[in-house]
């Protein structure tokens, strides 16, 4: 079976968030003697593309409205990723030093058209086309409706919603950019008077998945305007929990972290990493270290931090380290806190892959007070590194973290999105930290939880097989 994943991000080539981690891991876990899972992604001007060499396998021109635009398909020389990867190089549109910006409509349309133009030239078409998020949301529509892609009508496609907040809306004035289709069906593109790639994907793909079962349920009541569509299409929707790539996220072998460790020597190992962080960020090693890694946006609950952090830091019994960047009105107050609590609070504003690994390894607790969390990978990385997650019970967080008050519970969960409930959770964590034998037992317990992609990769393969069966019938 040949599967192609089409995505805007893929770790380690280009990463903005968890989408990259998923697309950089799932194909690796799907590959086997009878499955060949490949990735098609855009070719950006970034660190990875500068550091590697590529081989051109195809060149042509794509039609975007009235314009004919040159594109190439490239592959990676010396590919050690664990799956085949192909890059859509559109020098005039896509080769930029960013992944997302305000020109996404044209860039990702060009990406989607070039991908299908190229795949249509293959000797045999793939068995499954698996698209991820709205940047590839017009593919299911084009496969079903575009005149030039008629050969794809029987090729099953799956669409995964990683985050329904972002839908890729654009005006009907740009409908001419989409390859010619029977205009009677233009309604398939529409939601609320705009072209909505996410809605079009939900309508046209053979199956829709989201990245956790709870998020699938929550979408029926909170999907940024798509609630009724998702309820109407419920029969083809399923929640499949993401996994983690345990070859990348393994404290025994992680080359980013200061001190490697396993379940057998985690106390010393975590202490080595905590010391590294505390020295680097001027934090008191003896206090429990709380951390946050992620986008500083409302969705992640980061607006609660200034008040929750101040209340906690005034008591002088915890250290807090933050890694992230985002909305200015959330980021600035967190930057302004730096210097006010020397020895207890610090922040790195920006993106730093190596530092993130060191924080999972060295922190004692990780915050995730998310308003919305389709899956969340950070809590699973934290578990693997023996760091106790403090989460709001929502979406994938609800599916992966059980509160310590429950049987076999190992995390700290709260329901409300208020600074007060965060502070309450922090206080519970501090109490747990003081009870060192219980705390260490929980660390050991969480390091042994298996969140690798093994199970979910199989669930996807079963799903592909079931829809392939439909295309044969
Ligand atoms: P989302 O995709 O919604 O941002 P996820 O929890 O699925 O959230 O994944 C976030 C991924 O991005 C994780 O791999 C996390 O470690 C990483 N990450 C987020 N912010 C940063 C940052 N500032 N520096 C380094 N890695 C980050
Ligand atoms: C999105 C979601 C996040 C999820 C990730 C990978 O970015 O916000 O919760 O873990 O996709 O599926």
């Amino acid at each position: 079976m040949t599967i192609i994943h089409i995505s805007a991000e893929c770790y380690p080539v280009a990463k903005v968030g968890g989408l990259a981690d998923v697309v950089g891991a799932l194909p690796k876990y799907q590959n086997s003697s009878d499955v060949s899972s490949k990735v098609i992604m855009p070719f950006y001007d970034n660190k990875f593309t500068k550091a590697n060499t590529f081989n051109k396998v195809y060149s042509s021109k794509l039609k975007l409205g009235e314009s004919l635009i040159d594109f190439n398909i490239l592959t990676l020389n010396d590919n050690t990723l664990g799956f085949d990867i192909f890059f859509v190089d559109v020098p005039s549109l896509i080769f930029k030093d960013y992944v997302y910006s305000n020109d996404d409509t044209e860039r990702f349309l060009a990406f989607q058209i070039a991908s299908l133009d190229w795949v249509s030239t293959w000797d045999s078409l793939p068995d499954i086309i698996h698209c991820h998020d709205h940047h590839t949301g017009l593919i299911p529509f084009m496969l079903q409706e575009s005149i030039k892609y008629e050969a794809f009508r029987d090729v099953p496609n799956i669409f995964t919603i990683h985050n329904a907040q972002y839908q890729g809306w654009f005006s009907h004035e740009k409908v001419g950019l989409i390859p010619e289709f029977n205009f009677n069906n233009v309604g398939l593109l529409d939601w609320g008077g705009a072209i909505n790639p996410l809605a079009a994907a939900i309508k046209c793909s053979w199956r829709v998945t989201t990245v956790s079962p709870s998020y699938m349920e929550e979408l029926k009541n909170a999907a940024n305007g798509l609630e009724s569509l998702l309820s109407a299409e419920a029969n083809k929707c399923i929640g499949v929990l993401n996994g983690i790539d345990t070859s990348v996220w393994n404290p025994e072998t992680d080359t980013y972290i200061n001190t490697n460790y396993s379940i057998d020597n985690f106390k010393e190992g975590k202490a080595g990493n905590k010391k590294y962080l505390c020295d680097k960020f001027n934090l008191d090693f003896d206090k429990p270290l709380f951390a946050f890694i992620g986008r500083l946006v409302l969705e992640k609950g980061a607006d609660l931090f200034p008040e929750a952090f101040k209340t906690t830091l005034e008591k002088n019994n915890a250290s807090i380290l933050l890694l992230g960047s985002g909305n200015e009105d959330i980021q600035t107050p967190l930057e302004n806190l730096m210097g006010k609590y020397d020895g207890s609070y610090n922040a790195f504003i920006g993106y730093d892959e190596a530092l993130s690994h060191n924080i999972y390894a060295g922190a004692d607790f990780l915050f995730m007070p998310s308003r919305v969390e389709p899956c969340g990978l950070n809590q699973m990385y934290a578990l693997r590194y023996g760091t106790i997650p403090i989460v709001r019970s929502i979406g994938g967080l609800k599916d992966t973290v059980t509160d310590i008050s429950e049987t076999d519970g190992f995390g700290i969960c709260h329901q409300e999105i208020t600074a007060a409930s965060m502070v309450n959770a922090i206080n519970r964590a501090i109490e747990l930290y003081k009870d060192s034998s219980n705390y260490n037992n929980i660390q050991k317990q969480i390091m042994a939880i298996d969140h690798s992609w093994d199970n979910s990769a199989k669930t996807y393969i079963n799903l592909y097989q079931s829809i392939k069966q439909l295309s044969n019938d």
Side-chain angles (χ1 to χ4, degrees), residues 152-373:
F152 284 100
R153 296 290 190 260
D154 291 333
V155 177
N157 63 81
I158 284 204
F159 185 83
T160 297
I161 304 174
H162 293 263
N163 196 330
Q165 297 299 109
Y166 310 101
Q167 303 177 1
W169 316 262
F170 60 94
S171 154
H172 276 281
E173 284 168 17
K174 293 191 178 178
V175 72
L177 298 178
I178 300 172
E180 195 185 349
F181 58 93
N182 175 354
F183 211 74
N184 291 332
N185 295 338
V186 68
L188 290 169
L189 293 170
D190 182 85
W191 196 256
I195 294 182
N196 183 320
L198 188 67
I202 295 166
K203 294 179 201 176
C204 299
S205 60
W206 292 34
R207 285 288 181 278
V208 175
T209 71
T210 59
V211 288
S212 72
S214 286
Y215 185 57
M216 185 89 255
E217 274 313 300
E218 289 161 10
L219 282 177
K220 290 180 189 156
N221 299 311
N224 204 4
L226 300 183
E227 300 77 9
S228 60
L229 176 60
L230 280 155
S231 296
E233 299 281 6
N235 281 347
K236 66 177 181 193
C237 296
I238 166 174
V240 182
L241 189 69
N242 283 337
I244 65 172
D245 186 342
T246 50
S247 63
V248 174
W249 298 95
N250 179 354
E252 272 189 83
T253 52
D254 189 333
T255 51
Y256 284 127
I257 65 177
N258 184 266
T259 313
N260 288 110
Y261 60 98
S262 72
I263 202 159
D264 298 323
N265 63 351
F266 71 92
K267 271 204 254 173
E268 300 76 31
K270 284 195 68 71
N273 291 303
K274 182 171 176 182
K275 177 147 190 342
Y276 166 79
L277 288 177
C278 289
D279 289 349
K280 190 174 162 95
F281 289 99
N282 180 32
L283 298 169
D284 182 351
F285 179 87
D286 292 324
K287 292 179 190 153
L289 176 59
F290 293 79
F292 173 81
I293 300 170
R295 298 179 285 123
L296 299 175
V297 295
L298 277 180
E299 215 182 288
K300 297 284 178 192
D303 53 309
L304 308 179
F305 291 163
E307 192 187 331
F309 288 3
K310 273 190 240 166
T311 312
T312 302
L313 293 166
E314 290 299 334
K315 292 191 205 137
N316 202 23
N317 56 0
S319 299
I320 298 175
L321 177 60
L322 177 133
L323 165 62
S325 61
N327 294 354
E328 218 169 290
D329 51 337
I330 297 180
Q331 187 177 300
T332 308
L334 290 164
E335 281 177 287
N336 291 342
L337 268 191
M338 283 158 76
K340 298 215 168 97
Y341 297 94
D342 267 344
S344 305
Y345 173 76
N346 216 333
F348 180 95
I349 302 297
Y351 188 93
D352 188 327
E353 190 73 25
L355 179 58
S356 75
H357 286 241
N358 275 292
I359 294 179
Y360 292 117
D364 297 302
F365 297 94
L366 187 87
F367 297 123
M368 295 184 81
S370 307
R371 281 193 173 71
V372 181
E373 198 60 83

Side-chain angles (χ1 to χ4, degrees), residues 19-176:
L19 170 63
D21 289 0
V22 169
V23 178
L26 178 57
K28 208 189 283 187
Y29 282 77
Q30 289 180 328
N31 272 327
S32 69
S33 53
D34 41 58
V35 175
S36 167
S37 188
K38 308 171 191 297
V39 170
I40 303 181
M41 71 174 298
F43 192 63
Y44 304 110
D45 181 7
N46 68 13
K47 231 163 122 181
F48 185 95
T49 57
K50 282 191 179 78
N52 287 278
T53 56
F54 299 85
N55 186 21
K56 196 186 287 182
V57 294
Y58 183 76
S59 285
S60 188
K61 288 182 193 296
L62 68 95
K63 191 166 176 294
L64 191 65
E66 296 308 312
S67 313
L68 277 179
I69 302 173
D70 289 318
F71 77 93
N72 309 301
I73 302 292
L74 312 176
T75 52
L76 190 55
N77 290 330
D78 303 325
N79 183 358
T80 53
L81 300 184
F83 49 88
D84 292 338
I85 185 158
F86 299 94
F87 299 87
V88 174
D89 174 27
V90 187
S92 62
L93 279 176
I94 297 180
F95 192 65
K96 308 280 180 192
D97 61 1
Y98 50 82
V99 175
Y100 307 119
S101 187
N102 50 15
D103 52 359
D104 286 357
T105 300
E106 285 75 9
R107 293 171 76 228
F108 289 113
L109 252 169
F111 168 57
Q112 295 172 85
I113 294 168
S115 300
L116 295 187
D117 281 0
W118 173 56
V119 176
S120 8
T121 68
W122 289 13
D123 289 342
S124 55
L125 293 177
D127 295 291
I128 297 286
I129 297 181
H130 189 154
C131 298
H132 297 265
D133 268 356
H134 73 82
H135 330 99
T136 60
L138 294 172
I139 288 180
F141 171 83
M142 295 194 277
L143 295 175
Q144 181 180 304
E145 301 293 332
S146 292
I147 291 157
K148 71 169 167 169
Y149 300 132
E150 207 170 345
F152 284 100
R153 296 290 190 260
D154 291 333
V155 177
N157 63 81
I158 284 204
F159 185 83
T160 297
I161 304 174
H162 293 263
N163 196 330
Q165 297 299 109
Y166 310 101
Q167 303 177 1
W169 316 262
F170 60 94
S171 154
H172 276 281
E173 284 168 17
K174 293 191 178 178
V175 72

